[in-house]
Amino acid sequence: LARLRSRLAKSNNVFSQGLLALLSSDSIDDDVWDEVEESLLVADLGTEPTLELVDRLRERVTVEGTKDPEAVRAMLREELIKIVDPGLDRRLTATPTDGIPAVMMVVGVNGVGKTTTVGKIARVLVAEQREVVLGAADTFRAAAAEQLATWGARVGVDTVRSDVEQADPASVAFEAVKTGIERETDVVLIDTAGRLQNKANLMDELGKIKRVVEKQAPVGEVLLVLDATTGQNGLSQAKVFAEAVNITGIVLTKLDGTAKGGIVVPIQRQLGVPVKLIGLGEGADDLAPFEVEAFVDALLS
Ligand code: GDP
């Protein structure tokens, strides 16, 4: 947690001078509120949530008649927590049901960090003594299966892949789940292709993978991976994927970079699904559960 805080603090220090200094000024006037708004927008919180939050905060400051910067700061923290945590369940479904492995599909456009995320999740599960098998259903790029298998070897789990180029992704996913059932693994993690050029194609492919997998085992999680550094653009991607397949959670990657991370708020609103995990680097251990208070504190530090 401390590591997460310091990583996030580095990338999110937009508030460190601006916002809190502003809230510490003697009189909180319209200019101050405008700048508070600006800081939240810069942090990718999105227009609507920002306006809502600032309105609520202004109202509270007026109603409670406070001028104490510490009190206002505490209110800001409370309001941010409320807006980041609309009461969504962030637990991952990663335990077998009646001896059938939990299946997790990982989806998202190319380059957002899908394969890396599959590797990192496998690492966490292995550390928890769970049996895992990976499925390389991104058969579109030849290098993708190789990259996944490399991650598998690194964290000590097997990868089911096709020797045939451009194999049917659904059949690879089917094989992976079959292997998981035969070996009685706890989890089967399926990496998928992220072509977005053709929406109909994508919907067909993801839908088919899911249907084919569900002939053998329920798909407990469909995790959408989004790159935090793409800011509001991540939202339009998210919508396309949400139309293609029923998303159960978001993994927000690259929060170790310049991204402010406020994008969490509009994403959760638009999709109605929680951010469950965050990516904090390229290494196997750079994955953390999304924790609301730690996140807000990092945003405010
Ligand atoms: P995919 O195409 O969606 O499967 O994406 P990859 O897993 O191949 O990742 C694309 C690039 O992003 C690689 O260079 C990864 O090392 C990098 N990457 C993935 N997750 C993170 C993260 O959380 N932080 C940083 N800094 N880089 C990441």
Side-chain angles (χ1 to χ4, degrees), residues 104 106 117-126 189 223 277 287:
M104 286 190 206
V106 176
T117 298
V118 170
K120 291 173 178 176
I121 295 175
R123 163 81 136 222
V124 171
L125 294 171
V126 167
L189 269 167
L223 297 173
L277 300 166
L287 183 78

Side-chain angles (χ1 to χ4, degrees), residues 109-116 120 147 254 256 279-282:
V109 299
N110 283 336
V112 290
K114 274 187 309 295
T115 306
T116 307
K120 291 173 178 176
Q147 195 195 338
K254 310 192 189 183
D256 50 311
L280 295 161
E282 299 186 90

